[in-house]
């Protein structure tokens, strides 16, 4: 707020005028200065009764210097000055007061609250502080408590609120109180109503596969050829495996301006019942046979009952690789060079050595894992051979189809005869030789499939043979056949993607020289890990007090809980967590949490490390 002289003011603030040195006030001031010749030559300035009296310097002297002290604003010849400035008797020097408004109205960012800040209720006139003759002066002012200009009234404040269209739930008593006893702080005097948030639809799963499976695998069991082993967790025919709780609409609110604040629409969930399940009244899913219910899909709202393939002994050269569209339960060991790929869960009651286990669901293992690779959840999808081989062949096939169209068009433009089959054969023999490598690999995987697969593998196999030996099927090859081939490949790899399960995990007691990647949690409930690489989209936990993490690299988006961490190699262990590290004991290695890293050169004991912990140390 700028306070300026006004003809209605109680005390008139006289504008400064340059005064002739002959006037008495300057003569008196000059006579009162010391008789030093230099001082007598300098210009002087006097402040008296809100007026400036200025003399110019004599020959050899210096002009008077003036500067403002807040809240005084000075203008020299109508230009604001903020630093020490020389002035002469010919200069026009003016002043005014610039102070903040007596009150302020503010509104919160969400527009749900309005605040009143009262700085003062009474407005007084200002006057310049008198100053005797000097060559350098800082101009200051003070309030004249005898000259009351105005008093802030509630009508003025209410009119301002009304002008700003703030009228909803205005707390007038609070305004009265603040005007009577100003605190100088923002006081809430109007409040809107926030929207009541909507409740999203949710799915309740009465069946807890995770708890039951954990109980089975942590229980001491024994037996031969599958005898006396507990079964895979399952439900019975007629059991309800999922219940949908519907969404609830929110309640709109309004801001301090009276504007409507709509509630965010709730998110709905569409339940889908697939094989061996039934949707009841649109809100329940019922099992139509005994088995393990599973939840799949991008949003986790598709239910079916997983089929199960059991191996009562070991998985070895006699059984061959196992590719199964469902759960795989092995009641023995998985031997060297063997592969298990399940569109579901994998349960292994023995050990795993130099093998690969891939699951779109979870992996549960009772024995030790040595020199092996385990992939679950989306890692199980991307490392599934059916997925990446069919996807690679499809991508090559799309390029092949485009190239065939271009080449056929070029031949037609030259008025040369076009045989589509010969064009395809030529391209496969020259530019697209990868088909000869990828197709046999996919055919081998398809031959390992146990039982019926959801997709039409017979038709896909036939077309794979066609493109592997195009010279024998030249008359059959056309663009429609290529298009059909690409669709079968696309259905194959997409069919695996949609079978990715939610809340997956990998549970095992011990890992040595292995790679373990989980789309959920990883739990080491036995001796721990040695020279292993662990990657988790959730948490990694060593639950046994005697578990050791030796020369291993761990990375988790969530938390890592470890007991004893160390190593004998130069690299030792590296632990990288997104949220938190909980360490019982660690001697050497590297830790990282939330992007902050630190080398551990000594020993850590009973430490809980967060991003803030490491940030403070840096």
């Amino acid at each position: 707020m700028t306070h300026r002289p006004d003809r209605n003011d109680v005390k008139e603030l006289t504008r400064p005028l340059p005064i002739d040195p002959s006037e008495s006030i300057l003569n008196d001031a000059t006579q009162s200065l010391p008789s030093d010749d230099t001082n007598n030559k300098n210009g002087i300035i006097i402040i008296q009764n809100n007026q400036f009296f200025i003399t110019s310097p004599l020959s050899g002297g210096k002009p008077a210097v003036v500067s403002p002290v807040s809240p005084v604003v000075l203008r020299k010849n109508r230009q604001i000055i903020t630093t020490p400035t020389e002035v002469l008797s010919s200069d026009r020097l003016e002043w005014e007061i610039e102070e903040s408004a007596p009150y302020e109205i503010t509104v919160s960012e969400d527009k749900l609250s309005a605040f009143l800040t009262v700085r003062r209720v009474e407005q007084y006139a200002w006057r310049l502080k008198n100053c005797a003759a000097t060559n350098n002066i800082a101009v200051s002012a003070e309030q004249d408590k005898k000259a009351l200009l105005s008093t802030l009234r509630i009508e003025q404040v209410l009119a301002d609120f009304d002008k700003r269209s703030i009228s909803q739930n205005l707390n007038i008593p609070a305004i009265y109180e603040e005007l009577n006893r100003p605190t100088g702080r923002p006081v809430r005097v109007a409040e809107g109503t926030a929207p009541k948030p909507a409740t999203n639809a949710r799915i309740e799963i009465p069946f807890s596969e995770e708890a039951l499976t954990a109980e089975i695998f942590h229980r001491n069991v024994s037996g031969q050829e599958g005898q006396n082993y507990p079964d895979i967790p399952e439900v019975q025919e007629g059991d309800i495996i999922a219940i949908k709780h519907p969404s609830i609409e929110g309640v709109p609110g309004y801001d301090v301006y009276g504007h409507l604040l709509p509630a965010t629409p709730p998110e709905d969930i569409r339940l889908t019942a697939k094989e061996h399940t039934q949707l009841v009244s649109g809100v329940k899913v019922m099992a139509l046979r005994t088995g393990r219910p599973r939840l799949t899909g991008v949003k986790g709202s598709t239910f079916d009952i997983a089929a199960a393939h059991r191996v009562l002994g070991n998985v070895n050269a006699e059984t061959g690789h196992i590719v199964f569209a469902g759960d795989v339960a092995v009641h023995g060991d998985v031997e060297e060079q063997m592969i298990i790929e399940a569109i579901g869960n994998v349960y292994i009651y023995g050990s795993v050595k130099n093998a690969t286990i891939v699951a779109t669901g979870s992996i549960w293992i009772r024995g030790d894992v040595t020199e092996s690779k385990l992939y679950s959840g989306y890692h199980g999808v991307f490392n599934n051979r059916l997925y990446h081989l069919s996807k690679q062949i499809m991508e090559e096939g799309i390029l092949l189809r485009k190239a065939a169209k271009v080449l056929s068009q070029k031949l037609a433009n030259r008025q040369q005869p076009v045989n589509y089959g010969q064009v395809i054969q030529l391209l496969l023999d020259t530019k697209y030789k990868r088909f000869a490598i990828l197709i046999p690999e996919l055919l081998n995987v398809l031959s390992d499939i146990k039982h019926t697969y959801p997709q039409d593998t017979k038709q896909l196999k036939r077309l794979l043979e066609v493109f592997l030996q195009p010279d024998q099927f030249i008359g059959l090859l056309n663009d429609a056949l290529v298009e059909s081939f690409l669709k079968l490949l696309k259905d194959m790899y997409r069919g695996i993607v949609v079978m990715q399960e939610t809340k997956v995990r990998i549970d095992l007691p011990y890992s040595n020289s292995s790679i373990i990647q989980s789309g959920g949690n990883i739990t080491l409930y036995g001796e721990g890990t040695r020279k292993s690489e662990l990657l988790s989209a959730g948490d990694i936990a060593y639950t046994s007090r005697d578990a050791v993490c030796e020369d291993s690299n761990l990375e988790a988006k969530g938390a890592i809980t470890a007991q004893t961490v160390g190593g004998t190699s130069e690299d030792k262990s590296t632990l990288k967590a997104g949220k938190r590290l909980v360490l019982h004991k660690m001697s050497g290695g590297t830790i990282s949490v939330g992007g902050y890293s630190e080398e551990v050169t000594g020993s850590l004991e009973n430490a809980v490390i967060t991003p803030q912990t490491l940030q403070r140390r840096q």
Side-chain angles (χ1 to χ4, degrees), residues 472-520:
Q472 299 182 19
F473 303 95
I474 288 178
L476 295 176
L477 286 169
N478 54 47
D479 186 67
L481 186 70
V482 176
E483 184 180 15
S484 177
F485 178 52
L486 296 177
K487 184 180 184 305
L488 288 172
L489 291 167
K490 187 175 183 179
D491 289 344
M492 174 61 71
Y493 83 80
R494 281 194 171 181
I496 296 170
V497 172
V498 298
M499 296 309 294
Q500 175 186 321
E501 298 189 33
T502 61
K503 297 184 179 179
V504 301
R505 59 187 298 159
I506 297 179
D507 270 34
L508 71 160
Y510 177 71
S511 166
N512 181 18
S513 303
S514 296
I515 295 174
I516 301 171
Q517 297 181 358
S518 173

Side-chain angles (χ1 to χ4, degrees), residues 105-386:
I105 296 173
T106 55
V107 177
S108 61
E109 188 174 349
D110 59 11
K111 300 180 182 179
L112 288 173
S113 298
F115 300 89
L116 173 66
T117 304
V118 178
R119 299 186 179 93
R120 60 186 177 279
V121 174
E122 296 174 331
Q123 180 68 49
Y124 292 94
W126 287 81
R127 62 187 178 194
L128 296 180
K129 292 182 180 179
N130 292 337
C131 180
T134 180
N135 178 252
N136 192 319
I137 187 171
V139 181
S140 59
E142 60 187 359
Q143 288 185 331
D144 186 352
K145 295 298 182 178
K146 296 179 180 179
L148 179 64
L149 300 179
S150 62
T151 301
L152 185 61
R153 296 177 301 172
I154 191 169
E155 292 85 357
Q156 180 182 348
V157 177
L158 294 178
D160 203 354
F161 273 106
D162 188 58
K163 183 180 178 181
R164 298 166 187 251
S165 300
I166 301 175
S167 56
Q168 291 290 332
N169 294 341
L170 198 59
N171 189 342
I172 296 177
I175 298 175
Y176 265 117
E177 179 66 21
E178 190 62 17
L179 289 176
N180 289 331
R181 283 180 286 275
T183 63
R185 299 188 300 270
V187 175
R188 183 185 286 109
V189 295
E191 193 169 3
T193 301
K196 182 180 179 181
T199 302
N200 294 333
R202 65 182 180 89
I203 298 176
E204 177 187 350
I205 311 293
F207 171 82
S208 177
E209 174 207 350
E210 184 175 295
L212 291 176
T213 309
E215 179 186 350
I216 289 171
F217 274 78
H218 297 169
R219 186 189 304 161
N220 290 323
V221 296
S222 62
Q224 297 292 330
E225 297 296 319
Q227 297 177 4
N228 300 324
Y229 280 100
D231 208 349
I232 296 173
E234 59 185 22
V235 295
Q236 304 301 312
E237 180 182 350
D239 285 350
I240 299 298
I241 61 174
I243 302 170
K244 174 185 173 180
H245 295 274
S247 60
I248 301 174
E249 294 287 341
V251 179
Y254 57 87
D255 60 21
V256 293
Y257 301 106
H259 300 149
L260 188 69
L261 297 175
T264 303
E267 294 182 5
D268 197 12
I269 298 174
R270 181 181 177 182
L271 290 181
T272 303
K274 294 184 70 177
E275 288 79 13
H276 309 294
T277 61
Q278 180 180 342
L279 193 60
V280 180
S281 303
V283 295
K284 294 182 180 179
V285 179
M286 182 175 67
L288 298 181
R289 77 171 185 186
T290 299
R292 180 182 74 89
R294 59 180 171 180
L295 180 60
T296 61
V298 178
K299 293 186 177 181
S301 58
T302 301
F303 294 86
D304 69 352
I305 302 296
H309 176 72
R310 300 174 185 274
V311 180
L312 297 182
N314 297 338
V315 174
N316 50 32
E318 289 186 16
T319 63
H321 301 316
I322 295 176
V323 179
F324 185 68
D327 296 342
V328 175
V330 179
H331 289 262
D333 299 331
V334 181
E335 298 181 5
E336 294 189 21
Q337 305 301 320
M338 301 313 298
I339 299 173
I340 296 177
E341 291 174 305
I343 313 299
N345 287 353
V346 175
Y347 307 87
I348 300 174
Y349 292 93
S351 60
V352 180
K353 184 176 181 181
N354 193 16
T356 300
I357 311 296
V358 180
T360 59
S362 298
I363 300 174
W364 305 80
I365 303 176
R366 276 197 61 84
D368 293 343
V369 175
T370 306
E371 297 177 347
S372 298
K373 298 176 181 179
L374 309 181
Y375 305 102
S376 78
Y378 63 75
H379 294 292
V381 169
F382 298 135
N383 287 279
N384 183 289
R385 291 178 299 165
L386 283 176

Side-chain angles (χ1 to χ4, degrees), residues 394-447:
M394 190 203 73
E395 290 170 349
E396 285 286 301
I398 291 174
L399 297 176
L400 172 67
R401 188 184 183 195
K402 290 180 179 179
K405 287 183 178 180
V406 171
L407 184 54
S408 297
Q409 187 61 48
K410 286 183 177 179
L411 291 172
N413 293 340
R414 295 175 185 175
Q415 296 183 350
Q416 293 178 273
V418 178
N419 185 308
Y420 192 85
Q422 290 180 338
V423 170
I424 291 292
Q425 182 182 358
L426 175 64
L427 290 171
L428 289 173
D429 290 342
T430 55
K431 192 173 181 180
Y432 296 94
K433 293 182 179 181
R434 286 192 68 199
F435 273 82
I437 300 172
L438 296 173
I439 288 177
E441 290 184 20
L442 182 54
L443 284 170
N444 287 335
V445 177
L446 291 173
S447 66

